[in-house]
């Protein structure tokens, strides 16, 4: 879509067994037609051939447009894992732009100091609570930073920490800053690394 005011929502359906099988493999072999090349029928559930477009419109990524997409397809009625770039993840979870003081999608660490002492993992329930507190106490745009940069009601609904609901986009996974952030999160949240591995099928590997 070349980034030109084009919004689309796609769906990939997984069984837990699919995630275990497709993400935990450590061996590589040459693919054949039977594996899904050309006219093969055994396409991976994680591949583009199994991706379903369920909503598409030539509109910009805004709170209202994304909210309409999610509500019309009743996405919150399902146990989902959301993939998207960091801009759309902030929008879906109620946060401001990445120029905000507290711009991290996953925790409340401030953007300038790069310290996570006293910060916490974000959840949609906490996002909603702080957004309502901002409306009650202030309602002024310049005060968003006093409430961890929540700017609107979360569009998604889930009891999961946002880190598990919306894993970091794969585009960013091999950047050094991602390793630094994950190291610090795992260090301060006992059992989080194991939870990420079990629920998302994400394992640390040396490259």
């Amino acid at each position: 879509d070349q980034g030109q005011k084009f919004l689309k929502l796609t769906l990939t359906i997984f069984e837990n067994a699919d995630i275990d099988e497709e993400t935990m493999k450590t061996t590589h072999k040459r693919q054949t037609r039977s594996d899904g090349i050309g006219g093969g029928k055994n396409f991976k559930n994680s591949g583009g051939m199994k991706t379903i477009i369920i909503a598409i419109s030539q509109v910009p990524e805004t709170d209202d447009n994304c909210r309409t997409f999610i509500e019309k397809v009743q996405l919150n009625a399902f146990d989902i894992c959301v993939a998207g770039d960091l801009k759309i993840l902030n929008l879906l979870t109620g946060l401001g732009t990445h120029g905000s003081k507290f711009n991290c999608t996953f925790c409340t660490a401030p953007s300038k100091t790069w310290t996570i002492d006293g910060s916490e993992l974000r959840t949609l329930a906490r996002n909603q609570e702080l957004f309502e507190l901002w409306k009650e106490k202030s309602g002024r745009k310049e005060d968003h930073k006093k409430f961890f940069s929540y700017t609107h009601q979360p569009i998604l609904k889930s009891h999961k920490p946002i880190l598990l609901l919306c894993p970091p986009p794969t585009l960013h996974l091999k950047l050094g800053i991602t390793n630094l952030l994950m190291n610090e999160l795992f260090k301060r949240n006992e059992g989080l690394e194991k939870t990420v591995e079990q629920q998302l099928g994400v394992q640390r590997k040396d490259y």
Side-chain angles (χ1 to χ4, degrees):
D1 61 29
Q2 300 178 341
Q4 299 299 314
K5 297 183 179 179
F6 214 90
L7 186 62
K8 56 184 177 291
L9 181 63
T10 63
L11 174 70
T12 303
I13 301 174
F14 285 96
E15 295 283 351
N16 287 336
D18 294 332
I19 298 175
D20 293 341
E21 180 181 348
E22 294 186 13
T23 61
M24 296 300 187
K25 288 180 179 177
T26 57
T27 59
H28 301 276
K29 65 182 182 67
R30 182 176 178 273
Q31 286 187 306
T32 64
R33 184 177 294 274
S34 63
D35 292 326
I37 294 177
K41 298 180 179 180
N42 298 323
F43 296 106
K44 289 183 177 181
N45 284 333
S46 58
M49 296 298 291
K50 289 290 188 76
T51 298
I52 305 165
I53 298 177
I54 57 177
I56 187 167
S57 182
Q58 195 165 1
V59 295
E61 294 175 347
T62 65
D63 174 57
D64 288 340
N65 290 336
C66 291
R67 195 175 299 276
T68 298
F69 265 42
I70 300 300
E71 290 176 353
K72 289 292 185 182
V73 301
Q74 300 181 30
L75 197 64
N76 285 318
F78 301 93
D79 184 14
I80 58 174
C81 183
V82 180
D85 61 25
L86 292 174
K87 175 189 174 184
I88 198 71
L89 294 185
N90 271 22
L91 197 155
L92 293 175
T93 55
L95 298 177
T97 67
H98 281 84
S100 306
K101 181 175 181 179
F102 298 92
N103 58 15
C104 179
T105 308
F106 312 107
C107 76
T108 57
S111 60
K112 299 296 184 182
T113 60
W114 288 106
T115 176
I116 64 173
D117 293 333
S119 63
E120 58 185 31
L121 287 178
R122 292 192 191 266
T123 66
L124 294 174
R126 181 63 172 158
N127 288 14
Q128 178 70 32
E129 179 184 331
L130 285 170
F131 171 72
E132 292 176 355
L133 188 62
W134 166 78
K135 284 201 305 181
E136 176 188 337
K137 299 292 186 181
S138 168
R140 296 185 303 174
K141 184 177 180 180
E142 58 267 28
D143 287 337
H144 283 309
K145 61 186 178 182
K146 297 179 181 178
F147 300 88
F148 294 104
S149 299
Y150 296 110
T151 62
H152 54 277
Q153 289 183 326
I155 299 172
L156 298 175
K157 299 183 186 302
S158 175
H159 66 279
K160 299 177 183 177
I162 291 173
L163 182 62
L164 298 182
L165 176 66
C166 309
T170 54
L171 173 65
H172 306 275
L173 287 180
K174 292 187 180 180
L175 297 180
I177 189 61
T178 300
N179 287 329
L180 175 63
L181 291 173
M182 297 307 291
N183 283 337
E184 293 299 323
L185 283 171
F186 293 153
K187 193 184 301 181
R188 288 165 168 75
N189 293 270
E190 187 176 352
L192 179 61
E193 183 169 9
K194 193 67 176 177
T195 301
V196 169
E197 179 181 326
Q198 291 174 342
Q199 295 193 21
L200 300 179
V202 175
Q203 286 185 319
R204 282 240 167 152
K205 295 191 179 297
D206 296 324
Y207 292 98

